[in-house]
Amino acid sequence: MRNLEKKNNIVLKGDMEVANYKPQLLTEYAQNPFIESLPPIFSEDEVLDRFMVTPRISLQDKQSETNIRYHVLKRVKNFIQPLPIHFEVERRLSTLIRRGYLARNPLDKSFLERIGALHKLREDEVEAHKYIDERLNYMRSTADSLSIIGISGIGKTTAIERLLLMYPQVIKHEVYEQQPFNKTQIVWLKIDCPYDGSLSTLCKSFFKAIDDLLGTRYLEKFGYLNRVTSTMLLHMTSLASMYGIGVLVIDEIQHLLHAKNDQEEMLNFFVTLSNTVGIPTVLIGTSKAQQLFKGNFRQARRAASDGAIIWDRMVEDSEEWEFFLETLWELQCLKTRSELTEEVKKTFYEECQGITSVAVNLFILAQERALFDEANRDERITPKVIKKTAREDMKIIQPMMNALRTNDLKAMYKYEDIMINLDELMINHKKNVEYEGKVKEAMTERQNTLQYKRLEISENLSYEIASLGIFDSLNPSDIRKLVSNVVDSQPIESEYNNLKLEAIQNAMTLNQKKKEQKLNPTSKSVLLPLLMLRAKALDRKQHPHELLKVNGYVKPFLEEFIK
């Protein structure tokens, strides 16, 4: 489930947890706290279970009044169908994060050297950006980059957010192998490229994302108006090392084309992110973004060192499309079940052209039209209903749809977001049919298991309860655990509304409890001596650093590292 906070931009937030170190199957991943605290490498079955969202529409829902069913239909918007490309993205993301940590092992001497070098650079930040590459060049980087390019509405952002949320976002380290190890690790950070395409604004978005996560004030400290981009990059490098950022995802990179930045400067920026900053990056954009990688081949290769995933629309006669449509078709909430005939399939593809979001919206709108059409008393989805829905309810996108239907390259240039290849090479991202069959078989099996049904109910209940927006003291993890406990404790055939009522009551109790804890916090002075010293310093109107130094908590920086 995503937790979205809207201030200036929408910021994706995940869970925060205390480090739980796990044995590693690969020797190169062992003895690295940043890697050992991650979830185990996901199997295909786990990706299926965690990724899929199939909204629940019960028999009772289908028998409800028309006005109620209109609201039930909106659940279909949450539908997410795992497809072969999702598994490909998950494998790449899993590898990017882990391999990016190989050269940033906090137990390694080179990690401490990097921190020391950055400390020296920060002391001379006015000139530092001129020789930052030279100073840090000798330190190896295992950070790769991945580009995901695809047409608007195909599901790139939904997929990457869903996959990121399979990992905790913040991990608190306290003790590693019986030794004190006080570290905060940010596993992933996702920011959107600003609409004006300014690289300076992009850097500020990075600082703000960390501030939103940790309650820090880096935007205020490092992002003020007269800062140049190269200087802000220095501070990004420092924070990336300090917090062990596993992967930086930058969405909507086609916005960089709106800026007055030189194209080579933009590519240099992304290359520096992975080379100097040492963060693996995932760049996501529509087909327009390909223009960013046209000029300099070397830089383009580095900006996508782990390759590019070209995410095309689904092909009409593919197993992938057939499976997607069959699964979607089960989410009907009409009096009469409409069969998925060959004519309906053909018409439906004709109107949505295999684009995920268009297909889902067309399916919802077609049902809405069938609900309120007096001439359609049986409430059936027919080819005629589908065509009329597309023509009248989705009128705004018809010029783009027509360009795709006719394969009109000239028209497509007017709507670059729907083009996969701007060099007139229409790349068709073919999927492995045998692999699709395996995914289909595994999913069909899961749909028939009690475990899947419980997961499905928990997923939908969690989303509904979070959407109420009244539990301000609960995070997504709290709601998920609470709902899972309710669902697991009741028989599988329990009425959905009864489960929902119990979950809401439990959420109200827990929310109130957490509020009271915030209002009446227990004393932590024994457990947190640093906070006690900080409070004492503020009472005396001293800087906390001075009191920490006097009490031996802050030691001479360079002397410690030399030891």
Side-chain angles (χ1 to χ4, degrees):
M1 181 191 315
R2 78 173 68 171
N3 176 20
L4 297 178
E5 182 178 286
K6 195 162 185 177
K7 289 183 182 174
N8 295 334
N9 289 317
I10 293 177
V11 178
L12 182 73
K13 282 192 178 181
D15 292 336
M16 183 181 290
E17 62 179 45
V18 176
N20 173 26
Y21 304 107
K22 305 158 194 76
Q24 299 297 302
L25 296 175
L26 301 179
T27 53
E28 64 264 39
Y29 292 163
Q31 295 300 301
N32 186 326
F34 284 166
I35 297 178
E36 289 184 0
S37 58
L38 297 174
I41 297 171
F42 296 114
S43 67
E44 289 170 6
D45 288 350
E46 288 171 318
V47 177
L48 269 174
D49 285 339
R50 293 183 183 220
F51 194 87
M52 179 166 51
V53 179
T54 309
R56 186 176 185 272
I57 298 178
S58 66
L59 184 62
Q60 183 183 337
D61 290 327
K62 293 177 184 179
Q63 293 169 348
S64 301
E65 293 298 320
T66 303
N67 60 327
I68 300 298
R69 286 186 288 144
Y70 178 82
H71 285 261
V72 171
L73 280 174
K74 299 301 181 185
R75 291 180 193 165
V76 181
K77 280 190 175 288
N78 305 323
F79 172 68
I80 300 177
Q81 168 71 64
L83 298 168
I85 197 164
H86 295 136
F87 293 88
E88 182 181 350
V89 176
E90 190 281 323
R91 286 194 298 270
R92 299 276 193 99
L93 184 66
S94 173
T95 313
L96 269 182
I97 293 172
R98 286 172 173 83
R99 292 200 61 77
Y101 280 136
L102 290 180
R104 293 186 296 151
N105 187 338
L107 304 182
D108 241 9
K109 182 184 174 185
S110 62
F111 181 82
L112 300 178
E113 288 173 348
R114 184 185 189 87
I115 297 283
L118 287 169
H119 180 73
K120 284 183 179 177
L121 287 168
R122 281 204 311 273
E123 289 176 345
D124 184 26
E125 71 165 39
V126 177
E127 297 293 319
H129 67 271
K130 295 177 183 177
Y131 50 85
I132 182 171
D133 289 332
E134 178 191 331
R135 288 285 180 91
L136 297 179
N137 248 353
Y138 70 94
M139 296 177 197
R140 65 195 178 96
S141 171
T142 53
D144 280 321
S145 302
L146 170 67
S147 296
I148 302 175
I149 305 295
I151 61 179
S152 292
I154 204 68
K156 305 179 297 297
T157 300
T158 301
I160 202 73
E161 288 184 351
R162 191 85 184 155
L163 292 170
L164 288 174
L165 289 169
M166 289 168 65
Y167 295 84
Q169 187 173 19
V170 179
I171 299 175
K172 295 280 189 181
H173 299 263
E174 295 171 356
V175 176
Y176 180 75
E177 293 189 345
Q178 286 147 8
Q179 293 295 319
F181 180 65
N182 189 12
K183 223 125 195 36
T184 297
Q185 174 187 358
I186 298 176
V187 179
W188 53 267
L189 206 59
K190 180 182 177 290
I191 58 177
D192 286 351
C193 197
Y195 192 78
D196 64 1
S198 160
L199 292 178
S200 171
T201 310
L202 185 64
C203 294
K204 290 171 186 174
S205 297
F206 176 89
F207 298 135
K208 185 177 184 303
I210 294 180
D211 289 346
D212 287 345
L213 262 186
L214 306 179
T216 48
R217 299 174 71 179
Y218 294 122
L219 176 60
E220 183 183 315
K221 191 174 180 181
F222 302 136
Y224 48 79
L225 290 174
N226 61 346
R227 290 269 179 164
V228 293
T229 305
S230 52
T231 304
M232 285 194 278
L233 258 177
L234 169 63
H235 293 293
M236 286 173 73
T237 306
S238 179
L239 293 176
S241 295
M242 185 191 306
Y243 292 117
I245 297 175
V247 65
L248 176 64
V249 178
I250 304 175
D251 203 353
E252 308 289 359
I253 61 164
Q254 70 277 2
H255 289 167
L256 290 174
L257 293 168
H258 297 171
K260 295 175 182 177
N261 302 308
D262 180 74
Q263 189 169 308
E264 192 156 321
E265 181 192 352
M266 287 188 276
L267 278 174
N268 270 327
F269 177 83
F270 290 123
V271 171
T272 305
L273 271 180
S274 59
N275 279 2
T276 307
V277 182
I279 314 177
T281 52
V282 177
L283 309 178
I284 305 174
T286 64
S287 310
K288 282 182 183 179
Q290 288 186 109
Q291 292 180 26
L292 292 169
F293 306 120
K294 277 187 171 181
N296 186 313
F297 177 75
R298 182 190 67 81
Q299 289 166 313
R301 180 178 57 79
R302 281 298 300 136
S305 57
D306 199 41
I309 293 177
I310 305 297
W311 198 321
D312 203 351
R313 56 203 173 106
M314 289 178 272
V315 180
E316 185 175 8
D317 59 358
S318 67
E319 281 270 329
E320 179 184 27
W321 168 251
E322 186 82 13
F323 185 36
F324 175 86
L325 188 55
E326 284 174 1
T327 312
L328 181 65
W329 214 252
E330 293 302 311
L331 304 177
Q332 293 183 42
C333 195
L334 301 173
K335 281 181 185 174
T336 311
R337 176 182 162 76
S338 302
E339 295 304 319
L340 192 56
T341 64
E342 289 303 317
E343 187 185 3
V344 169
K345 286 182 189 177
K346 186 173 177 59
T347 307
F348 199 85
Y349 187 86
E350 186 74 10
E351 299 300 341
C352 73
Q353 290 297 302
I355 300 174
T356 314
S357 65
V358 178
V360 171
N361 283 316
L362 177 60
F363 182 65
I364 294 169
L365 292 169
Q367 289 192 75
E368 289 178 7
R369 183 168 287 274
L371 272 179
F372 296 104
D373 187 354
E374 291 183 5
N376 189 358
R377 292 184 181 278
D378 290 339
E379 297 183 1
R380 289 185 185 276
I381 306 173
T382 63
K384 185 179 176 183
V385 169
I386 294 168
K387 285 181 179 178
K388 193 173 182 182
T389 303
R391 188 171 64 249
E392 296 182 13
D393 299 334
M394 306 178 81
K395 189 175 181 179
I396 195 168
I397 64 168
Q398 287 314 300
M400 289 78 101
M401 291 293 104
N402 285 330
L404 286 170
R405 280 186 207 106
T406 58
N407 202 22
D408 184 345
L409 291 174
K410 187 177 179 182
M412 285 183 190
Y413 271 104
K414 289 164 63 180
Y415 314 109
E416 288 176 335
D417 283 351
I418 64 173
M419 288 194 64
I420 279 299
N421 194 303
L422 299 177
D423 294 322
E424 300 188 13
L425 298 172
M426 301 302 289
I427 296 174
N428 185 10
H429 193 69
K430 294 292 184 184
K431 308 296 188 303
N432 186 310
V433 175
E434 184 182 337
Y435 188 69
E436 286 170 4
K438 183 180 177 183
V439 173
K440 184 173 181 178
E441 184 183 331
M443 274 193 62
T444 305
E445 183 184 333
R446 258 160 195 68
Q447 287 172 341
N448 295 325
T449 64
L450 293 178
Q451 182 189 7
Y452 170 75
K453 286 178 182 173
R454 288 193 188 279
L455 282 169
E456 180 191 16
I457 293 168
S458 295
E459 183 74 40
N460 286 298
L461 259 182
S462 298
Y463 180 83
E464 285 191 41
I465 289 172
S467 297
L468 294 173
I470 58 174
F471 302 116
D472 51 348
S473 295
L474 302 185
N475 60 38
S477 180
D478 294 329
I479 293 174
R480 273 201 301 272
K481 287 173 186 172
L482 180 148
V483 167
S484 293
N485 289 338
V486 170
V487 174
D488 291 345
S489 67
Q490 299 295 332
I492 194 68
E493 63 274 6
S494 298
E495 181 56 46
Y496 183 80
N497 286 337
N498 292 339
L499 293 172
K500 184 175 177 180
L501 179 62
E502 185 180 343
I504 289 174
Q505 289 171 339
N506 290 358
M508 289 171 71
T509 304
L510 182 60
N511 193 63
Q512 185 61 32
K513 186 178 176 183
K514 290 207 165 195
K515 270 187 181 174
E516 289 169 1
Q517 285 173 351
K518 284 180 184 176
L519 292 171
N520 304 301
T522 54
S523 174
K524 295 183 181 178
S525 57
V526 178
L527 294 172
L528 301 171
L530 298 183
L531 288 180
M532 186 177 70
L533 284 173
R534 179 181 179 276
K536 193 181 286 185
L538 293 175
D539 286 342
R540 294 179 184 177
K541 296 187 178 178
Q542 278 183 283
H543 195 287
H545 182 272
E546 295 302 319
L547 207 52
L548 291 171
K549 197 171 179 180
V550 169
N551 284 269
Y553 286 102
V554 176
K555 297 186 179 180
F557 184 82
L558 294 175
E559 287 177 26
E560 280 297 303
F561 281 156
I562 289 166
K563 283 180 189 176

